[in-house]
Amino acid sequence: MPQAEFRYEEEQLKIQIQRMGEDLCIRFYGGDRGHIGSIAMAEPRPSLTGNGQTSATVSVYTYSGHKDDIVASSVAREVAARLNRKCVVIVGIHYDHFTQDRLAAVNRIAAQIPVMAEEAYGAIH
């Protein structure tokens, strides 16, 4: 299966985007110890506002003590709505010393994932 991979060496983060049929599986992990912290599944649907735009419904599972659900949920929602594809986003980032600068870097990189996914695989119309 084709896979796009992106590395952010300074932050020790890795993003892998794999196509599974028409769907996407996205893994965003790393730091001092990468792991599976949260899994978000998103499915595109018409916006509930009735404005004709595409939105997404997201379901999230988070292991006890983890905070990766915030990133997983937002990335999954944006990817599904933007690309009109079902997706699963797995996030597991751990730093022994998690600073505000690291948090800002993680959020900045996470915000780029929907663009990366679209550039790698495009949207379904």
Side-chain angles (χ1 to χ4, degrees), residues 71-90:
V71 171
S73 177
S74 65
V75 169
R77 179 175 281 105
E78 179 67 22
V79 168
R82 184 179 185 137
L83 278 64
N84 197 33
R85 294 177 184 268
K86 290 189 290 184
C87 69
V88 171
V89 178
I90 303 165

PDB file of all heavy atoms in Angstrom, residues 71-90:
ATOM      1  N   VAL A  71      -5.413  16.223  19.656  1.00  0.00           N
ATOM      2  CA  VAL A  71      -4.768  16.273  18.335  1.00  0.00           C
ATOM      3  C   VAL A  71      -5.416  15.262  17.397  1.00  0.00           C
ATOM      4  O   VAL A  71      -5.748  15.588  16.253  1.00  0.00           O
ATOM      5  CB  VAL A  71      -3.251  16.016  18.454  1.00  0.00           C
ATOM      6  CG1 VAL A  71      -2.606  15.856  17.090  1.00  0.00           C
ATOM      7  CG2 VAL A  71      -2.583  17.148  19.231  1.00  0.00           C
ATOM      8  N   ALA A  72      -5.632  14.042  17.868  1.00  0.00           N
ATOM      9  CA  ALA A  72      -6.206  12.999  17.013  1.00  0.00           C
ATOM     10  C   ALA A  72      -7.567  13.406  16.482  1.00  0.00           C
ATOM     11  O   ALA A  72      -7.856  13.263  15.288  1.00  0.00           O
ATOM     12  CB  ALA A  72      -6.297  11.677  17.786  1.00  0.00           C
ATOM     13  N   SER A  73      -8.411  13.938  17.353  1.00  0.00           N
ATOM     14  CA  SER A  73      -9.764  14.334  16.959  1.00  0.00           C
ATOM     15  C   SER A  73      -9.760  15.467  15.946  1.00  0.00           C
ATOM     16  O   SER A  73     -10.470  15.415  14.939  1.00  0.00           O
ATOM     17  CB  SER A  73     -10.545  14.750  18.206  1.00  0.00           C
ATOM     18  OG  SER A  73     -11.820  15.201  17.852  1.00  0.00           O
ATOM     19  N   SER A  74      -8.966  16.490  16.196  1.00  0.00           N
ATOM     20  CA  SER A  74      -8.966  17.638  15.274  1.00  0.00           C
ATOM     21  C   SER A  74      -8.384  17.275  13.917  1.00  0.00           C
ATOM     22  O   SER A  74      -8.909  17.698  12.876  1.00  0.00           O
ATOM     23  CB  SER A  74      -8.241  18.833  15.886  1.00  0.00           C
ATOM     24  OG  SER A  74      -6.875  18.559  16.080  1.00  0.00           O
ATOM     25  N   VAL A  75      -7.331  16.467  13.889  1.00  0.00           N
ATOM     26  CA  VAL A  75      -6.745  16.051  12.610  1.00  0.00           C
ATOM     27  C   VAL A  75      -7.735  15.176  11.850  1.00  0.00           C
ATOM     28  O   VAL A  75      -7.961  15.370  10.649  1.00  0.00           O
ATOM     29  CB  VAL A  75      -5.398  15.324  12.816  1.00  0.00           C
ATOM     30  CG1 VAL A  75      -4.923  14.665  11.525  1.00  0.00           C
ATOM     31  CG2 VAL A  75      -4.336  16.294  13.334  1.00  0.00           C
ATOM     32  N   ALA A  76      -8.351  14.216  12.520  1.00  0.00           N
ATOM     33  CA  ALA A  76      -9.305  13.319  11.857  1.00  0.00           C
ATOM     34  C   ALA A  76     -10.477  14.095  11.269  1.00  0.00           C
ATOM     35  O   ALA A  76     -10.882  13.863  10.127  1.00  0.00           O
ATOM     36  CB  ALA A  76      -9.800  12.258  12.837  1.00  0.00           C
ATOM     37  N   ARG A  77     -11.025  15.022  12.043  1.00  0.00           N
ATOM     38  CA  ARG A  77     -12.171  15.813  11.574  1.00  0.00           C
ATOM     39  C   ARG A  77     -11.795  16.613  10.320  1.00  0.00           C
ATOM     40  O   ARG A  77     -12.522  16.620   9.329  1.00  0.00           O
ATOM     41  CB  ARG A  77     -12.640  16.763  12.673  1.00  0.00           C
ATOM     42  CG  ARG A  77     -13.817  17.634  12.246  1.00  0.00           C
ATOM     43  CD  ARG A  77     -14.344  18.487  13.380  1.00  0.00           C
ATOM     44  NE  ARG A  77     -15.181  17.649  14.246  1.00  0.00           N
ATOM     45  CZ  ARG A  77     -14.817  17.192  15.446  1.00  0.00           C
ATOM     46  NH1 ARG A  77     -13.664  17.517  15.965  1.00  0.00           N
ATOM     47  NH2 ARG A  77     -15.635  16.408  16.139  1.00  0.00           N
ATOM     48  N   GLU A  78     -10.656  17.264  10.358  1.00  0.00           N
ATOM     49  CA  GLU A  78     -10.236  18.107   9.233  1.00  0.00           C
ATOM     50  C   GLU A  78      -9.919  17.274   7.990  1.00  0.00           C
ATOM     51  O   GLU A  78     -10.304  17.637   6.879  1.00  0.00           O
ATOM     52  CB  GLU A  78      -9.027  18.950   9.635  1.00  0.00           C
ATOM     53  CG  GLU A  78      -8.495  19.842   8.558  1.00  0.00           C
ATOM     54  CD  GLU A  78      -9.429  20.976   8.157  1.00  0.00           C
ATOM     55  OE1 GLU A  78     -10.304  21.345   8.952  1.00  0.00           O
ATOM     56  OE2 GLU A  78      -9.286  21.484   7.020  1.00  0.00           O
ATOM     57  N   VAL A  79      -9.241  16.153   8.163  1.00  0.00           N
ATOM     58  CA  VAL A  79      -8.906  15.296   7.020  1.00  0.00           C
ATOM     59  C   VAL A  79     -10.168  14.750   6.372  1.00  0.00           C
ATOM     60  O   VAL A  79     -10.339  14.809   5.151  1.00  0.00           O
ATOM     61  CB  VAL A  79      -7.949  14.152   7.427  1.00  0.00           C
ATOM     62  CG1 VAL A  79      -7.829  13.110   6.317  1.00  0.00           C
ATOM     63  CG2 VAL A  79      -6.573  14.708   7.767  1.00  0.00           C
ATOM     64  N   ALA A  80     -11.079  14.209   7.167  1.00  0.00           N
ATOM     65  CA  ALA A  80     -12.308  13.617   6.621  1.00  0.00           C
ATOM     66  C   ALA A  80     -13.136  14.663   5.882  1.00  0.00           C
ATOM     67  O   ALA A  80     -13.622  14.402   4.783  1.00  0.00           O
ATOM     68  CB  ALA A  80     -13.133  12.973   7.733  1.00  0.00           C
ATOM     69  N   ALA A  81     -13.290  15.843   6.471  1.00  0.00           N
ATOM     70  CA  ALA A  81     -14.103  16.891   5.845  1.00  0.00           C
ATOM     71  C   ALA A  81     -13.424  17.452   4.605  1.00  0.00           C
ATOM     72  O   ALA A  81     -14.064  17.660   3.577  1.00  0.00           O
ATOM     73  CB  ALA A  81     -14.372  18.013   6.844  1.00  0.00           C
ATOM     74  N   ARG A  82     -12.135  17.674   4.689  1.00  0.00           N
ATOM     75  CA  ARG A  82     -11.394  18.293   3.588  1.00  0.00           C
ATOM     76  C   ARG A  82     -11.241  17.360   2.394  1.00  0.00           C
ATOM     77  O   ARG A  82     -11.315  17.783   1.248  1.00  0.00           O
ATOM     78  CB  ARG A  82     -10.033  18.732   4.108  1.00  0.00           C
ATOM     79  CG  ARG A  82      -9.179  19.469   3.130  1.00  0.00           C
ATOM     80  CD  ARG A  82      -7.877  19.858   3.798  1.00  0.00           C
ATOM     81  NE  ARG A  82      -7.091  20.666   2.915  1.00  0.00           N
ATOM     82  CZ  ARG A  82      -6.440  21.756   3.274  1.00  0.00           C
ATOM     83  NH1 ARG A  82      -6.468  22.174   4.507  1.00  0.00           N
ATOM     84  NH2 ARG A  82      -5.735  22.426   2.394  1.00  0.00           N
ATOM     85  N   LEU A  83     -10.992  16.071   2.664  1.00  0.00           N
ATOM     86  CA  LEU A  83     -10.716  15.123   1.592  1.00  0.00           C
ATOM     87  C   LEU A  83     -11.915  14.249   1.240  1.00  0.00           C
ATOM     88  O   LEU A  83     -11.842  13.439   0.326  1.00  0.00           O
ATOM     89  CB  LEU A  83      -9.531  14.230   1.953  1.00  0.00           C
ATOM     90  CG  LEU A  83      -8.149  14.824   1.710  1.00  0.00           C
ATOM     91  CD1 LEU A  83      -7.869  16.035   2.577  1.00  0.00           C
ATOM     92  CD2 LEU A  83      -7.084  13.783   1.909  1.00  0.00           C
ATOM     93  N   ASN A  84     -13.001  14.361   2.003  1.00  0.00           N
ATOM     94  CA  ASN A  84     -14.188  13.547   1.790  1.00  0.00           C
ATOM     95  C   ASN A  84     -13.840  12.059   1.816  1.00  0.00           C
ATOM     96  O   ASN A  84     -14.296  11.270   0.989  1.00  0.00           O
ATOM     97  CB  ASN A  84     -14.887  13.927   0.477  1.00  0.00           C
ATOM     98  CG  ASN A  84     -16.309  13.423   0.421  1.00  0.00           C
ATOM     99  OD1 ASN A  84     -16.987  13.345   1.429  1.00  0.00           O
ATOM    100  ND2 ASN A  84     -16.751  13.066  -0.769  1.00  0.00           N
ATOM    101  N   ARG A  85     -13.019  11.692   2.802  1.00  0.00           N
ATOM    102  CA  ARG A  85     -12.575  10.304   2.979  1.00  0.00           C
ATOM    103  C   ARG A  85     -12.736   9.908   4.445  1.00  0.00           C
ATOM    104  O   ARG A  85     -12.495  10.719   5.327  1.00  0.00           O
ATOM    105  CB  ARG A  85     -11.088  10.148   2.647  1.00  0.00           C
ATOM    106  CG  ARG A  85     -10.692  10.374   1.225  1.00  0.00           C
ATOM    107  CD  ARG A  85      -9.156  10.238   1.116  1.00  0.00           C
ATOM    108  NE  ARG A  85      -8.680  10.533  -0.211  1.00  0.00           N
ATOM    109  CZ  ARG A  85      -8.507   9.630  -1.158  1.00  0.00           C
ATOM    110  NH1 ARG A  85      -8.772   8.372  -0.919  1.00  0.00           N
ATOM    111  NH2 ARG A  85      -8.056   9.982  -2.351  1.00  0.00           N
ATOM    112  N   LYS A  86     -13.059   8.641   4.670  1.00  0.00           N
ATOM    113  CA  LYS A  86     -12.982   8.126   6.030  1.00  0.00           C
ATOM    114  C   LYS A  86     -11.507   8.057   6.412  1.00  0.00           C
ATOM    115  O   LYS A  86     -10.646   7.791   5.559  1.00  0.00           O
ATOM    116  CB  LYS A  86     -13.600   6.737   6.128  1.00  0.00           C
ATOM    117  CG  LYS A  86     -15.108   6.738   5.981  1.00  0.00           C
ATOM    118  CD  LYS A  86     -15.706   5.382   6.310  1.00  0.00           C
ATOM    119  CE  LYS A  86     -15.329   4.392   5.223  1.00  0.00           C
ATOM    120  NZ  LYS A  86     -15.945   3.076   5.416  1.00  0.00           N
ATOM    121  N   CYS A  87     -11.219   8.302   7.692  1.00  0.00           N
ATOM    122  CA  CYS A  87      -9.835   8.185   8.124  1.00  0.00           C
ATOM    123  C   CYS A  87      -9.757   7.753   9.577  1.00  0.00           C
ATOM    124  O   CYS A  87     -10.694   7.947  10.358  1.00  0.00           O
ATOM    125  CB  CYS A  87      -9.061   9.486   7.908  1.00  0.00           C
ATOM    126  SG  CYS A  87      -9.550  10.828   8.972  1.00  0.00           S
ATOM    127  N   VAL A  88      -8.639   7.143   9.892  1.00  0.00           N
ATOM    128  CA  VAL A  88      -8.280   6.807  11.258  1.00  0.00           C
ATOM    129  C   VAL A  88      -6.981   7.537  11.549  1.00  0.00           C
ATOM    130  O   VAL A  88      -6.049   7.492  10.738  1.00  0.00           O
ATOM    131  CB  VAL A  88      -8.090   5.279  11.434  1.00  0.00           C
ATOM    132  CG1 VAL A  88      -7.498   4.953  12.794  1.00  0.00           C
ATOM    133  CG2 VAL A  88      -9.402   4.560  11.222  1.00  0.00           C
ATOM    134  N   VAL A  89      -6.932   8.222  12.683  1.00  0.00           N
ATOM    135  CA  VAL A  89      -5.729   8.946  13.083  1.00  0.00           C
ATOM    136  C   VAL A  89      -5.266   8.396  14.424  1.00  0.00           C
ATOM    137  O   VAL A  89      -6.024   8.384  15.398  1.00  0.00           O
ATOM    138  CB  VAL A  89      -5.999  10.463  13.183  1.00  0.00           C
ATOM    139  CG1 VAL A  89      -4.749  11.202  13.661  1.00  0.00           C
ATOM    140  CG2 VAL A  89      -6.467  11.019  11.839  1.00  0.00           C
ATOM    141  N   ILE A  90      -4.030   7.925  14.448  1.00  0.00           N
ATOM    142  CA  ILE A  90      -3.427   7.374  15.657  1.00  0.00           C
ATOM    143  C   ILE A  90      -2.357   8.357  16.106  1.00  0.00           C
ATOM    144  O   ILE A  90      -1.462   8.690  15.328  1.00  0.00           O
ATOM    145  CB  ILE A  90      -2.799   5.996  15.369  1.00  0.00           C
ATOM    146  CG1 ILE A  90      -3.848   5.046  14.792  1.00  0.00           C
ATOM    147  CG2 ILE A  90      -2.140   5.436  16.626  1.00  0.00           C
ATOM    148  CD1 ILE A  90      -3.263   3.809  14.140  1.00  0.00           C
TER     149      ILE A  90
END
